[in-house]
Amino acid sequence: MSYIIDSDVLITAKNSYYAFDLCPGFWESLLAQHHTGRVHSLDRNRQELLQGRDDDNLVKWVHESVPDNFFLSCNNADVVSTYTEVMLWVQRNPQFYDGAKAKFATGADGWLVAYARVYGNTVVTLEESRPESRNQIKLPDVCIQFGVPYQNVFTMLRELNVKYDYKETN
């Protein structure tokens, strides 16, 4: 199984439980799993991540540690075509408010669903399904609509058999 990681996973990890100074093993494990071909993200997610400040640890990590092929390109006819399907579904869905549709259109979520659908990947996100939502379009709900598997980062780490061991530093 191959995983495509949403930006929210990396941003939340950096800001809380897997902060670079607290759990460098998380970041090392992502790169190690990437080298086996199992973990990637998308070029659209890279753009979102690089909107942070230059002194931000996540921006530095993307620039200094992450190989270019970690962020897969969405410039593929099948992905673009599927992305168009996703966006048409979103725009034509009367459940969602116009503001939710506009916000969704500017983010990477539609690209994640399209890419994962075309290539059979699992989307990794921290978002939770909220099918009744009108003011937000949740990534899991779009995944469900298009038959794309999704899960949270902790499930992915368990499936990859990743473990972090305690080590005291002086």
Side-chain angles (χ1 to χ4, degrees):
M1 180 178 305
S2 182
Y3 304 92
I4 303 292
I5 299 177
D6 188 13
S7 306
D8 75 325
V9 170
L10 302 175
I11 293 167
T12 302
K14 181 234 2 169
N15 289 333
S16 58
Y17 44 82
Y18 292 139
F20 282 90
D21 64 328
L22 187 64
C23 190
F26 172 75
W27 307 95
E28 293 164 9
S29 70
L30 290 180
L31 295 178
Q33 292 297 326
H34 164 70
H35 289 301
T36 69
R38 299 186 76 194
V39 172
H40 292 88
S41 192
L42 298 180
D43 53 1
R44 306 299 170 133
N45 297 101
R46 183 178 191 277
Q47 292 170 1
E48 289 181 351
L49 297 173
L50 293 179
Q51 291 176 3
R53 298 184 333 260
D54 286 340
D55 64 343
D56 181 279
N57 286 334
L58 186 54
V59 172
K60 286 181 184 177
W61 182 74
V62 169
H63 280 303
E64 298 172 8
S65 301
V66 179
D68 290 339
N69 64 355
F70 183 88
F71 296 101
L72 302 170
S73 174
C74 294
N75 293 331
N76 166 295
D78 291 335
V79 173
V80 171
S81 175
T82 304
Y83 174 76
T84 301
E85 287 178 48
V86 170
M87 293 311 297
L88 284 173
W89 176 79
V90 166
Q91 293 303 319
R92 292 176 178 165
N93 193 323
Q95 172 183 335
F96 303 121
Y97 294 136
D98 288 342
K101 293 175 184 182
K103 184 176 181 193
F104 187 85
T106 64
D109 288 359
W111 291 103
L112 284 164
V113 173
Y115 194 97
R117 186 173 187 206
V118 168
Y119 291 105
N121 304 112
T122 297
V123 171
V124 179
T125 184
L126 293 175
E127 288 186 27
E128 294 183 11
S129 174
R130 286 194 31 225
E132 74 288 346
S133 178
R134 296 179 61 75
N135 61 350
Q136 289 184 320
I137 301 170
K138 294 295 191 175
L139 178 54
D141 297 321
V142 182
C143 286
I144 290 167
Q145 174 66 31
F146 287 90
V148 171
Y150 72 94
Q151 60 188 222
N152 66 41
V153 65
F154 307 107
T155 302
M156 177 192 76
L157 292 171
R158 284 185 180 100
E159 288 180 359
L160 293 171
N161 295 313
V162 172
K163 304 271 189 251
Y164 303 117
D165 292 327
Y166 170 78
K167 179 172 89 173
E168 196 166 323
T169 59
N170 296 343

